[in-house]
Amino acid sequence: MAERVDPTTRLQSGQASLLTNWAGNVVYGAAQTATPATVDELRQIVVASTCAKAVGSGHSFRAIASTRGTLISMREFARIDSPGADGSVRVGAGVTYGDLARHLASNGRALANFASLPHISVGGAVATATHGSGPQNPALSSAVAALELVLADGSLRTIRRGDPEFDGAVVSLGCLGVVAAVTLETVAAFELSQYVFEAIPWPRTERELSALLRSGYSTSLFVSWARPNVEQVWVKSADPMEELCGVRPAASPRHPIDGADPSHTTEQLGVPGPAAERLPHFRFEGIPSAGDELQSEYAVGAVDAVAALRALRAIGPQLAPLLHVSEIRAVASDSFWLSPFYERDSITFHFTWKRSPAVAAAVALVETVLAPWQPRPHWAKLFTYSDEFLDAAFPRLDSFEQLRYRYDPGGKFRD
Ligand SMILES: Cc1cc2nc3c(=O)[nH]c(=O)nc-3n(C[C@H](O)[C@H](O)[C@H](O)COP(=O)(O)OP(=O)(O)OC[C@H]3O[C@@H](n4cnc5c(N)ncnc54)[C@H](O)[C@@H]3O)c2cc1C
């Protein structure tokens, strides 16, 4: 397994033009880096840069944080205010979900959902429509109540839910400016228990798939596409569970990747605990996923998911040797123009690839096979789609381009 270096370390010590993302497959290529600690410093940096891009924790697999100009690390924007009377909390965009969850827990509050890992920044996750699972759980961007954005001319604009441009500005891929702070809605702290069930029969109908993904508050199916069943079903449940499809829960902790160390995963075996320590698959202090990996992911409409699943199973033998694991999740629809879940309850098909030159062809094969169901790619993960394809897949892409032009007519954040 390759040595993993925290990208913030790379940002501190590396030569700017050689800084890479978490996976090491993207070189940001920036002429210089900057690590502002205040909004005024951030504004000055943005004004002084011909082109610039914010970077959070650098967990994206595509070059969406790359810039020829100034790479602006948001790690110093780590302030977390106390939750307000309405439960909302204002945080610096560089705060990680892990730190935020701990702060909220000490105030009796929690976020409604998490991605698989708590190591990522709020700014980066919101900008890319990062999601967890649960048919009633939309992407993490849906918790946003307001954004404070530094624009290309250095001005600061606050965009609140209800403003006409809000739905365009939340999932922005860093193309509108640099988000300095985000106000997020929270919920009262709640507990969940996590169970892993193995060798569950493949769902054959929309009803069976929907039932499986509704087994708990948040459910993930892990598959290799090589076996006659779903290898693992991870259920984060508010209620105790005795069985799923007649199968008893695993009696010892599991890792989604065959042979990987389960001590990095969040507590299982039905032990109740804070939702923030059960909803992510990986512990904040642990190593997420495999490390030596690439990822791609596609969302299709929930109504089409069983047909898409069947088509993927048919090419399973070609995919399996190249994969660490695949994950299937449910995500509720939202209204953000660039979100893969825009106005569509979705099922996502995720692929954690081993590093191999053959991955490019496998990604293209998955895209060809999913084509009949209007797949929308995860912006932060690998895909090969053309601009024309993306135009058709994201019906508000044109509206976003107009918004981008109004906010950043000179294309400072366009890289
Ligand atoms: C091991 C692993 C597991 C993952 N699991 C999941 C998962 O469960 N669900 C899921 O949906 N995704 C998942 N991802 C993808 C991940 O959530 C996204 O890559 C997310 O963007 C990571 O946040 P980041 O802070 O690292 O963003 P970065 O990669 O740093 O940036 C992503 C984008 O956001 C922009 N951006 C960042 N901060 C700001 C800011 N302050 N202002 C403006 N723009 C900004 C950047 O310019 C860039 O365009 C996973 C990735 C890894 C490596």
Side-chain angles (χ1 to χ4, degrees):
M1 186 180 291
E3 186 201 0
R4 243 101 44 80
V5 181
D6 184 328
T8 53
T9 315
R10 292 183 174 127
L11 288 173
Q12 283 165 38
S13 61
Q15 191 185 333
S17 60
L18 298 178
L19 298 176
T20 71
N21 63 342
W22 175 85
N25 69 310
V26 171
V27 177
Y28 290 123
Q32 68 259 335
T33 61
T35 309
T38 65
V39 172
D40 276 345
E41 282 175 22
L42 173 59
R43 294 166 71 169
Q44 284 165 26
I45 290 161
V46 167
V47 169
S49 304
T50 320
C51 41
K53 206 83 196 218
V55 64
S57 59
H59 281 82
S60 297
F61 293 88
R62 294 180 69 243
I64 50 176
S66 292
T67 175
R68 286 161 293 135
T70 311
L71 185 68
I72 303 176
S73 166
M74 296 304 290
R75 79 183 142 80
E76 294 294 324
F77 280 69
R79 184 190 156 116
I80 306 174
D81 290 353
S82 295
D86 62 354
S88 67
V89 62
R90 180 174 171 274
V91 304
V95 164
T96 63
Y97 280 89
D99 284 328
L100 175 56
R102 285 175 182 171
H103 182 90
L104 290 174
S106 64
N107 287 277
R109 307 293 300 176
L111 294 167
N113 206 10
F114 286 84
S116 68
L117 76 176
H119 310 67
I120 53 178
S121 80
V122 169
V126 164
T128 56
T130 286
H131 63 91
S133 189
Q136 78 291 0
N137 291 325
L140 307 187
S141 329
S142 293
V144 174
L147 293 175
E148 293 162 49
L149 190 64
V150 172
L151 302 183
D153 62 3
S155 61
L156 184 65
R157 183 174 301 186
T158 301
I159 306 161
R160 295 186 177 80
R161 185 178 294 157
D163 291 350
E165 295 174 340
F166 181 79
D167 283 343
V170 173
V171 179
S172 71
L173 310 177
C175 292
L176 302 181
V178 180
V179 176
V182 184
T183 301
L184 296 171
E185 282 175 347
T186 68
V187 297
F190 64 111
E191 292 208 331
L192 294 171
S193 307
Q194 181 162 233
Y195 300 86
V196 176
F197 299 92
E198 294 176 296
I200 298 293
W202 282 105
R204 286 158 307 171
T205 61
E206 190 189 330
R207 202 184 158 115
E208 285 179 4
L209 178 61
S210 169
L212 204 49
L213 287 166
R214 285 175 196 278
S215 310
Y217 180 86
S218 172
T219 303
S220 290
L221 317 188
F222 287 102
V223 301
S224 69
W225 306 106
R227 306 243 179 98
N229 47 41
V230 176
E231 277 100 323
Q232 296 183 3
V233 177
W234 288 43
V235 186
K236 293 114 194 298
S237 173
D239 304 311
M241 292 182 77
E242 296 285 316
E243 54 89 34
L244 182 68
C245 304
V247 175
R248 305 263 310 151
S252 60
R254 298 289 193 259
H255 193 289
I257 296 173
D258 222 10
D261 179 359
S263 70
H264 296 290
T265 60
T266 45
E267 184 148 10
Q268 303 163 29
L269 312 182
V271 179
E277 294 172 23
R278 298 295 180 275
L279 286 168
H281 304 324
F282 304 105
R283 291 176 194 265
F284 191 30
E285 58 284 358
I287 296 172
S289 198
D292 193 12
E293 67 188 59
L294 299 169
Q295 294 185 12
S296 52
E297 185 170 13
Y298 306 89
V300 304
V303 290
D304 294 322
V306 169
L309 179 61
R310 217 172 282 132
L312 288 170
R313 284 189 64 196
I315 57 165
Q318 288 154 272
L319 304 181
L322 296 169
L323 282 169
H324 285 295
V325 75
S326 247
E327 184 177 5
I328 302 169
R329 290 180 274 189
V331 187
S333 69
D334 61 36
S335 54
F336 302 119
W337 298 351
L338 286 196
S339 167
F341 320 108
Y342 176 74
E343 297 192 343
R344 191 166 83 171
D345 288 334
S346 302
I347 302 297
T348 59
F349 295 100
H350 159 106
F351 303 84
T352 301
W353 304 103
K354 296 172 186 167
R355 270 173 210 269
S356 154
V359 165
V363 167
L365 175 63
V366 167
E367 291 176 0
T368 304
V369 161
L370 289 179
W373 301 287
Q374 286 83 43
R376 294 176 182 159
H378 193 312
W379 290 108
K381 303 186 182 184
L382 303 180
F383 61 83
T384 70
Y385 294 129
S386 64
D387 289 352
E388 292 70 32
F389 185 96
L390 296 175
D391 270 338
F394 293 89
R396 301 301 301 274
L397 197 53
D398 201 38
S399 315
F400 180 80
E401 264 302 300
Q402 291 168 26
L403 181 66
R404 193 197 61 71
Y405 185 75
R406 283 204 300 283
Y407 277 41
D408 181 22
K412 191 173 274 192
F413 301 107
R414 204 184 160 81
D415 275 4

